[in-house]
Amino acid sequence: MGRPKLTTIFISNSHQILPSSSDPTRQNLVDDKSDAPNDGFPGSVFGFLRRLMSGNKIDGGSRTEAEEKVYSWLYALAQSDKDLVFEYVRSTERGLSFTEAERRLKENGPNVPLDHSFPNWWQLLWNAFFHPFNIILIVLSVLSYITSDNPNGCIMLVLVFISVSLRFYQEYSSSKAAMRLSELVRCPVKVQRCAGRVVQTELIVQIDQRDVVTGDIVIFEPGDLFPGDVRLLSSKHLVVSQSSLTGESMTTEKTADIREDQSTPLLDLRNICFMGTNVVSGSGTGLVVSTGSKTYMSTMFSAIGKKKPPDDFENGVRRISYVLIAVMLVVVTIIVLTDYFTSRSLSGSVLFGISVASALTPQMLPLIVNTSLAKGALSMARDRCIVKSIIAIRDMGSMDVLCIDKTGTLTMNRAIMVNHLDCQGLPKEKVLRFAFLNSYFKTDQKYPLDDAILAYVYTNGYRFQPSKWSKIDEIPFDFIRRRVSVILETQSYAEDRNHQFLKRFMVTKGALEEVMKVCSFIEHVDSGAISTLSSEDYQRILSMAEEVSNEGLRTIGVAIKRLKLQNSKGSMANDEAFESDMVFLGLVTFFDPPKDTAKQALWLLAEKGVKAKVLTGDSLSLAIRVCKEVGIKTTHVTTGPELELLSQDTFHETVKRATVLARLTPTQKLRVVQSLQTVGKHVVGFLGDGVNDSLALDAANVGISVDSGVSVAKDFADIILLEKDLNVLVAGVEQGRLTFGNTMKYLKMSVIANVGSVISLLIATLVLQYEPLTAKQLLTQNFLYSVGQIAIPWDKMEEDYVKTPQRWSKKGLPLFILWNGPVCTICDVATLVFLCFYYDATTLADNKFFHSAWFLEGLLMQTLIIHLIRTEKIPFIQEVASWPVICSTVVISAIGIAILYTPIGEVMGFVYLPLSYFGFLVVLFVGYFSVGQVVKRLYIFVYKRWL
């Protein structure tokens, strides 16, 4: 990269500069060479196998090695003198030379917060494609084309295309979202550089943030973003906003003239400023000590895209696919060999084997799953909720812990005035009157607290008659003084009521500590007496304010000063000397009230087995107050600094018990979420709307943001609420459980029916010594049955099912198959016995009768099984399916019966069936439902659940 463009140049003193080189101390503390290698296309296969066999080792209880290095580096700088800091980064008080800065830029790369490579689109496509279920369908499709079964092969390829496309789109969108994070810190930066060979001159140049290197001296003013982690060299009334890292709206004062110690929390270090934070007011200079991937912000966000928990459902489907492959290889091989030794037709035997393999595969699974999820997404869209990742709907059905931020979610995100107290803590109207006059007459900028004071006065019927007052001047609010003063004048009468005279006051309100700094007196409002503000008074007022703050209320101070008319002429806007020797009146308290709907929504979520935990960057007292208002228990609470001091095991135990976790940094929010997932075995949802929530949003099973949130938070969220209303989440939880339940219906039903059918085909083939169905008949049966299941996403679930979180059970499906699969096989074997002994099917020269009877029994069995599987109750008596499922069952059954009596049936090799066989089918299915219901009740008795 060439020399940076010089937008502005200011010549300063002339000095010499020392050559710089890399610092071994810093390398030891910060450099991390454990970058993950890019496996590429072949390596991704082995990576897939490694991921399949390995467990998730992220438990959230401890910092990573890279984080520990960053922490150690920044603490070392915070505790060092400024001269030693220059030695650490090999720089001087004059800054770097242009040559040295260019060398460092070439060596370390551009200054961007994320320095890890993102997967290419073809890698994401390969990952989406390489799934056992897709491999099964592709292999069967290829074999179908080889044996000239083109329609069946085409259908399977279409299903693969749908599955791969959806997965690729979701992963590609997530990867692009992570790349956008670098946009947060792009801005021009003023740095001090040196130029000249013999006599070097200090220059102030403006360069792009990407060109800043370690060792640069940066100059910053209000509105500037810090381009890296910075150790302050000088500061003047410097106030910084760290909301991008902490989520707290309050600003932080920073100063260069201090040495911190190890006990100070990292983000509370007053001589360190962090990349991505911004200057609110004041100015100063600082030495860039970390850039790019070595900054705190980069270390914090480097976890994005890497910490997502494994999807239990996808892993479960993957394992079932392996089981089906194993069964398919064994059963199909036996059937092909048996058929070949009987018919001596290799092509016919292979085609029949492919048909059996196709019947064993739940081909409609991608369509059923995605249709269920899409239906849920449309339902949530009607509730003003955008679903970016449809898989998140299913995860919402499994969610049992919801982590939420306080501001704007539980609360209205606006201030309401609560009380006006004098110096003794008693409500006094005089305090309110002067606070009102200050808010009424100030013009520089209206803040929410001003609106709250005015609303309180107007709604409570106070008549302070502002028309009798006139504004003379104003000293506006700034982030250094943190107070605002107005000069007011009013007419007053003498004691005889015959003479008027003017009174002029300065009325000041603002941060309590700042107001008390300019007060020398205190008024006892009851008696009207004014006395000197003593140290006892000062401590008493601070203690009172602390008590109020512990109740979750915010406080501001109010003070006045009587001015002499002859000393009050002219503008005072820039004369802070007037703000002195004031009389302290009292406090005004405010509260961010909880939403009316929050308590009801949290209660409904708790009813459905979803526990709420509050994770916030705000103070603990404020979080406790809000949680009490909305019904969240506050018996176990903790803070971020307290968590930092805990051992790993104690950390997990604390996170498990705590319901309110305050003053959390973004990485602490991430660790809390990971601890709940890996150690607590919970499915976690996270609701946040700030940059500081991005880590937790990305790591949570379900990331939820709001439309008013920052763009990065919305990028990483799976679901975006158009309104900050938790009731939408209640509906989403219900929809997720409905989606999960219907998906499990299809999966369990199809695996049971398919496995039972294939085992029955194997038994029949061995007994009859010929194919129970031709390949064409088997594929037609499988096609009709699959079409009939399309209605499952529109089925309903029982009320008890949606009351509890639903999760994939590793042992659930295999046990379900072992208990219920034999029931289907027994019915098929009963049909085989009936056909052999009643109709003497084994001696018939023409196999068409057996084919017709077996085709119809298998189709009706697979069509009716949904009604037995879908409910714990007795089907058709205690519980009836939704009308789309009923209609699907009737239509497919009617088509299956009618096809035997049509020219199509004749072409396919079917014959008419006698009425006696239909009577047998009625008895058979009554027996099937009876035996199936007994097995169902036994299964529920043993395992306490059904689906």
Side-chain angles (χ1 to χ4, degrees):
M1 184 176 295
R3 176 170 296 185
K5 296 181 180 179
L6 307 183
T7 309
T8 57
I9 301 180
F10 303 91
I11 300 179
S12 184
N13 298 329
S14 301
H15 297 285
Q16 298 289 326
I17 186 168
L18 298 173
S20 60
S21 60
S22 60
D23 179 25
T25 305
R26 186 185 189 283
Q27 278 189 338
N28 225 11
L29 288 170
V30 179
D31 287 355
D32 182 11
K33 302 192 177 183
S34 59
D35 293 329
N38 187 356
D39 290 335
F41 186 86
S44 62
V45 178
F46 298 102
F48 165 78
L49 296 175
R50 286 196 301 270
R51 292 194 303 272
L52 183 67
M53 301 302 294
S54 63
N56 187 6
K57 299 179 181 178
I58 303 166
D59 61 15
S62 58
R63 288 195 289 257
T64 64
E65 182 181 351
E67 289 174 335
E68 286 291 354
K69 289 182 177 181
V70 170
Y71 271 64
S72 300
W73 173 242
L74 293 177
Y75 272 114
L77 295 167
Q79 297 173 69
S80 303
D81 289 327
K82 285 181 278 189
D83 293 339
L84 185 57
V85 172
F86 282 111
E87 290 294 327
Y88 273 145
V89 297
R90 295 296 181 186
S91 185
T92 70
E93 296 178 355
R94 297 176 298 281
L96 299 174
S97 67
F98 286 100
T99 303
E100 175 62 17
E102 188 172 347
R103 187 192 69 78
R104 294 191 182 191
L105 183 63
K106 186 178 294 184
E107 180 182 319
N108 300 316
N111 177 32
V112 292
L114 291 179
D115 189 24
H116 63 80
S117 59
F118 295 92
N120 297 317
W121 66 266
W122 56 266
Q123 289 176 300
L124 295 174
L125 183 61
W126 170 253
N127 291 334
F129 168 80
F130 196 79
H131 187 281
F133 184 76
N134 294 331
I135 300 301
I136 293 174
L137 291 179
I138 289 174
V139 170
L140 293 178
S141 176
V142 170
L143 293 176
S144 297
Y145 280 113
I146 292 175
T147 54
S148 301
D149 186 14
N150 296 338
N152 192 46
C154 183
I155 291 173
M156 286 186 279
L157 284 181
V158 169
L159 294 175
V160 171
F161 176 78
I162 294 173
S163 176
V164 172
S165 298
L166 287 173
R167 187 180 298 272
F168 170 74
Y169 173 76
Q170 290 160 1
E171 294 186 2
Y172 184 68
S173 299
S174 176
S175 179
K176 285 182 65 178
M179 296 181 197
R180 293 185 195 134
L181 186 64
S182 60
E183 298 176 4
L184 286 175
V185 290
R186 289 202 176 199
C187 60
V189 180
K190 287 182 181 179
V191 301
Q192 181 176 300
R193 295 270 175 89
C194 288
R197 294 186 177 180
V198 179
V199 179
Q200 295 191 327
T201 304
E202 294 177 8
L203 303 175
I204 306 299
V205 300
Q206 186 166 294
I207 63 175
D208 188 80
Q209 167 265 330
R210 295 169 58 91
D211 298 331
V212 173
V213 297
T214 301
D216 268 332
I217 296 176
V218 294
I219 296 94
F220 41 83
E221 300 170 343
D224 289 344
L225 281 172
F226 288 100
D229 292 341
V230 172
R231 169 62 158 89
L232 293 178
L233 301 176
S234 65
S235 60
K236 181 180 179 181
H237 304 306
L238 182 60
V239 178
V240 173
S241 170
Q242 298 186 154
S243 60
S244 61
L245 301 180
T246 65
E248 292 187 57
S249 58
M250 301 299 290
T251 55
T252 304
E253 293 184 11
K254 299 284 185 176
T255 179
D257 302 322
I258 190 174
R259 289 178 62 181
E260 294 283 7
D261 55 52
Q262 195 74 25
S263 62
T264 306
L266 183 69
L267 293 180
D268 291 343
L269 295 174
R270 287 176 291 172
N271 57 5
I272 299 290
C273 296
F274 300 92
M275 184 184 212
T277 62
N278 64 286
V279 179
V280 175
S281 63
S283 59
T285 61
L287 182 67
V288 178
V289 296
S290 299
T291 59
S293 61
K294 302 301 188 295
T295 60
Y296 171 78
M297 180 184 184
S298 178
T299 306
M300 181 179 74
F301 284 104
S302 63
I304 283 179
K306 301 178 182 179
K307 309 290 187 181
K308 207 71 172 179
D311 190 323
D312 290 340
F313 183 87
E314 290 295 329
N315 288 343
V317 171
R318 194 182 298 270
R319 285 190 290 268
I320 290 300
S321 301
Y322 293 141
V323 173
L324 290 179
I325 290 174
V327 173
M328 188 184 303
L329 291 174
V330 173
V331 173
V332 171
T333 300
I334 295 174
I335 288 178
V336 169
L337 291 175
T338 302
D339 187 70
Y340 173 72
F341 288 127
T342 303
S343 63
R344 296 295 177 181
S345 173
L346 181 61
S347 61
S349 300
V350 171
L351 181 59
F352 181 64
I354 293 173
S355 303
V356 172
S358 178
L360 183 59
T361 306
Q363 299 175 10
M364 300 300 288
L365 181 61
L367 184 61
I368 296 296
V369 169
N370 291 315
T371 301
S372 297
L373 295 174
K375 179 177 175 292
L378 290 174
S379 176
M380 293 186 70
R382 288 192 289 269
D383 291 326
R384 297 184 57 76
C385 179
I386 299 173
V387 180
K388 290 176 56 185
S389 173
I390 58 175
I391 293 177
I393 298 176
R394 184 179 64 225
D395 290 334
M396 284 193 74
S398 304
M399 181 177 70
D400 56 354
V401 172
L402 175 63
C403 299
I404 52 183
D405 190 17
K406 173 192 67 66
T407 305
T409 305
L410 296 179
T411 63
M412 295 182 180
N413 201 20
R414 63 183 177 88
I416 290 181
M417 184 179 153
V418 178
N419 216 333
H420 41 94
L421 309 173
D422 66 3
C423 57
Q424 300 297 329
L426 301 174
K428 288 297 181 288
E429 187 176 303
K430 186 174 183 179
V431 179
L432 177 61
R433 180 167 71 250
F434 281 100
F436 167 78
L437 292 174
N438 180 288
S439 296
Y440 184 88
F441 283 104
K442 63 172 288 195
T443 56
D444 179 59
Q445 185 176 357
K446 294 288 186 183
Y447 287 97
L449 298 185
D450 296 308
D451 296 332
I453 292 173
L454 297 177
Y456 183 88
V457 170
Y458 294 144
T459 56
N460 287 278
Y462 290 99
R463 298 182 180 276
F464 293 137
Q465 298 178 312
S467 60
K468 293 186 177 182
W469 295 77
S470 58
K471 178 182 173 183
I472 304 302
D473 207 344
E474 177 177 350
I475 304 177
F477 177 89
D478 62 60
F479 284 97
I480 300 172
R481 294 165 40 256
R482 294 197 295 164
R483 58 182 180 264
V484 59
S485 298
V486 293
I487 314 300
L488 303 178
E489 195 173 78
T490 185
Q491 289 185 344
S492 183
Y493 289 91
E495 292 184 2
D496 57 8
R497 308 291 295 178
N498 293 324
H499 298 87
Q500 291 184 351
F501 63 93
L502 294 176
K503 284 185 178 180
R504 185 169 290 183
F505 293 91
M506 172 178 281
V507 184
T508 301
K509 80 173 191 307
L512 179 61
E513 297 85 352
E514 301 300 328
V515 171
M516 293 186 71
K517 281 181 183 179
V518 297
C519 291
S520 301
F521 306 96
I522 186 170
E523 177 172 337
H524 303 279
V525 180
D526 281 337
S527 60
I530 297 176
S531 61
T532 302
L533 180 64
S534 64
S535 59
E536 290 79 8
D537 293 329
Y538 188 86
Q539 290 300 324
R540 187 183 71 254
I541 294 170
L542 289 182
S543 298
M544 179 177 65
E546 186 177 355
E547 290 179 8
V548 171
S549 178
N550 289 337
E551 295 177 3
L553 301 179
R554 184 177 176 184
T555 61
I556 62 171
V558 181
I560 63 172
K561 179 181 180 181
R562 178 80 178 267
L563 301 177
K564 295 181 180 180
L565 296 180
Q566 60 268 28
N567 294 335
S568 307
K569 296 179 181 179
S571 176
M572 306 174 192
N574 298 314
D575 192 351
E576 297 178 15
F578 277 90
E579 292 180 324
S580 62
D581 297 329
M582 302 192 72
V583 180
F584 184 79
L585 290 184
L587 311 173
V588 179
T589 62
F590 303 87
F591 181 51
D592 185 5
K595 291 183 175 180
D596 296 334
T597 58
K599 188 171 185 177
Q600 177 190 10
L602 290 173
W603 182 77
L604 291 174
L605 286 171
E607 259 198 338
K608 297 184 183 303
V610 181
K611 298 178 181 178
K613 289 180 181 286
V614 174
L615 277 58
T616 179
D618 288 329
S619 66
L620 180 61
S621 57
L622 187 56
I624 290 175
R625 170 68 184 264
V626 172
C627 291
K628 286 181 178 179
E629 292 280 342
V630 298
I632 296 177
K633 293 181 179 180
T634 57
T635 50
H636 296 97
V637 298
T638 189
T639 63
E642 291 173 354
L643 290 177
E644 284 292 324
L645 304 176
L646 302 179
S647 66
Q648 190 164 334
D649 292 338
T650 310
F651 176 91
H652 295 311
E653 184 62 29
T654 302
V655 168
K656 176 183 176 181
R657 293 186 295 109
T659 54
V660 181
L661 299 95
R663 296 186 61 201
L664 296 182
T665 64
T667 51
Q668 287 171 337
K669 289 184 179 181
L670 169 66
R671 293 189 188 105
V672 168
V673 170
Q674 290 174 344
S675 175
L676 292 170
Q677 289 171 329
T678 57
V679 179
K681 304 299 181 184
H682 295 290
V683 176
V684 181
F686 187 90
L687 174 57
D689 57 2
V691 176
N692 58 302
D693 296 320
S694 299
L695 281 175
L697 283 170
D698 183 61
N701 301 83
V702 185
I704 309 164
S705 189
V706 293
D707 187 45
S708 58
V710 300
S711 59
V712 174
K714 290 188 286 187
D715 282 338
F716 289 112
D718 302 305
I719 295 173
I720 298 176
L721 308 182
L722 298 182
E723 296 178 358
K724 290 185 177 181
D725 188 353
L726 290 178
N727 283 301
V728 177
L729 296 183
V730 178
V733 167
E734 293 178 349
Q735 193 63 48
R737 292 173 187 176
L738 176 65
T739 300
F740 185 88
N742 283 334
T743 303
M744 292 307 298
K745 284 178 191 176
Y746 171 77
L747 190 58
K748 290 185 174 182
M749 173 203 65
S750 61
V751 172
I752 288 172
N754 292 355
V755 171
S757 175
V758 168
I759 292 175
S760 301
L761 283 171
L762 174 61
I763 294 172
T765 302
L766 294 174
V767 171
L768 300 174
Q769 296 297 306
Y770 62 80
E771 299 172 355
L773 291 174
T774 65
K776 188 182 300 183
Q777 293 167 349
L778 183 57
L779 291 174
T780 302
Q781 183 192 67
N782 189 50
F783 174 76
L784 288 175
Y785 154 70
S786 298
V787 170
Q789 310 313 315
I790 294 178
I792 289 178
W794 283 267
D795 196 15
K796 57 186 179 179
M797 294 298 302
E798 297 170 359
E799 291 184 6
D800 292 340
Y801 187 85
V802 298
K803 286 182 179 179
T804 56
Q806 302 297 330
R807 299 185 63 176
W808 178 277
S809 173
K810 292 181 180 180
K811 298 180 180 179
L813 189 56
L815 289 173
F816 196 89
I817 295 172
L818 290 175
W819 278 71
N820 295 275
V823 179
C824 296
T825 304
I826 289 171
C827 290
D828 289 337
V829 171
T831 303
L832 176 63
V833 171
F834 179 77
L835 291 174
C836 289
F837 288 95
Y838 188 82
Y839 294 109
D840 200 16
T842 54
T843 60
L844 292 176
D846 189 359
N847 301 331
K848 290 184 178 181
F849 176 80
F850 187 90
H851 289 168
S852 303
W854 192 265
F855 171 86
L856 184 59
E857 183 271 340
L859 177 62
L860 295 181
M861 172 72 71
Q862 292 180 330
T863 303
L864 292 171
I865 191 175
I866 178 61
H867 298 278
L868 180 66
I869 299 298
R870 62 170 298 277
T871 177
E872 296 182 8
K873 301 175 182 178
I874 301 175
F876 303 114
I877 298 175
Q878 294 178 325
E879 175 69 16
V880 180
S882 63
W883 68 265
V885 175
I886 293 291
C887 291
S888 173
T889 301
V890 171
V891 169
I892 296 300
S893 299
I895 291 175
I897 295 172
I899 202 172
L900 302 177
Y901 302 95
T902 61
I904 297 176
E906 186 175 345
V907 171
M908 296 185 64
F910 292 137
V911 297
Y912 295 176
L913 294 175
L915 191 60
S916 59
Y917 183 69
F918 288 96
F920 164 75
L921 290 180
V922 172
V923 174
L924 177 71
F925 290 131
V926 169
Y928 168 71
F929 277 96
S930 300
V931 174
Q933 190 66 25
V934 172
V935 173
K936 181 195 299 183
R937 298 316 306 174
L938 289 173
Y939 182 89
I940 294 173
F941 176 78
V942 174
Y943 299 106
K944 311 302 179 187
R945 63 176 297 172
W946 179 237
L947 289 177

